[in-house]
Amino acid sequence: EMQVRGASVCPGYWRRPQESAMAFTSDGYFRTGDLGRILPDGSLEIVGRAKDVIITGGANVNPLEVESALDACPGVAESAVVGVPDPEYGEAVVAFVVPQKQSGTPETNQNYFSEIITSFLVFYAKILCCYKQYMISVILYINFHNVFVRQLS
C-alpha cells in the first residue's frame, strides 16, 4: 500500500482520533488505500486499490473497470471512481471525470457518463465533471473522496 507524508497531507482527521489512528502509521505516514510499485526508472506506478470493490445494492462494482470504461470515452482526460456511504444502497458510486476540454453542458455529460456506469449494474451513481486544466492525482483523489463523504454525512 502506498503511504504519503508531507506538508500537504493533513496530520489527522478533525476530532476523530480512532479514524486517524487507522489511517496513519505511527511515524506519520497516511495510508492512501492505493497499491503501487516502484518501476526500474524509479517512478511509481499505481496498480490498484487496497479495497477494489464497491458494493452497491448487492452488486459488486470494480472501480478500475468503470474508470477504464470512462477513460476510453472520447473527450475524457481522466477519471476516478470511488464508493461512498449510502443509506439505501450501502455504497453509492461516485465518478470524478476530467474532460480533455470543456464541451457540452454538465447535464449532458452527466447523462452520457451515467449510461456507461449503469452498464456495470450500478443502481445509483453520481457523476461530477471537473472542468479544470489539471489531472486527478492521488492526493486529489483522496481529497475528492473525503470531501464528498463529508458532504453526504
Side-chain angles (χ1 to χ4, degrees), residues 29-127:
Y29 282 87
F30 177 70
R31 295 179 176 103
T32 67
D34 294 305
L35 302 175
R37 65 180 174 175
I38 303 295
L39 298 177
D41 66 0
S43 62
L44 176 65
E45 177 183 29
I46 299 173
V47 296
R49 297 192 181 109
K51 181 187 172 202
D52 267 346
V53 176
I54 300 169
I55 302 172
T56 180
N60 294 342
V61 177
N62 183 325
L64 295 176
E65 290 179 8
V66 179
E67 289 169 4
S68 293
L70 289 170
D71 291 346
C73 293
V76 173
E78 188 170 13
S79 67
V81 174
V82 297
V84 296
D86 181 80
E88 186 173 351
Y89 296 107
E91 284 184 290
V93 176
V94 177
F96 300 95
V97 178
V98 179
Q100 289 176 343
K101 63 181 180 178
Q102 186 170 348
S103 62
T105 65
E107 295 80 20
T108 303
N109 289 329
Q110 287 179 344
N111 291 338
Y112 174 67
F113 294 126
S114 291
E115 289 177 17
I116 294 165
I117 288 182
T118 55
S119 69
F120 289 89
L121 302 175
V122 176
F123 298 96
Y124 170 77
K126 177 70 176 168
I127 310 294

Side-chain angles (χ1 to χ4, degrees), residues 16 82-85 143-153:
R16 295 182 179 172
V82 297
V84 296
N143 288 336
F144 280 144
H145 182 266
N146 290 340
V147 166
F148 197 77
V149 167
R150 272 187 257 125
Q151 287 179 352
L152 289 179
S153 300

Side-chain angles (χ1 to χ4, degrees), residues 7-35:
S8 64
V9 179
C10 69
Y13 293 110
W14 178 254
R15 296 184 182 168
R16 295 182 179 172
Q18 292 173 332
E19 290 178 22
S20 294
M22 296 286 294
F24 289 84
T25 64
S26 60
D27 55 349
Y29 282 87
F30 177 70
R31 295 179 176 103
T32 67
D34 294 305
L35 302 175

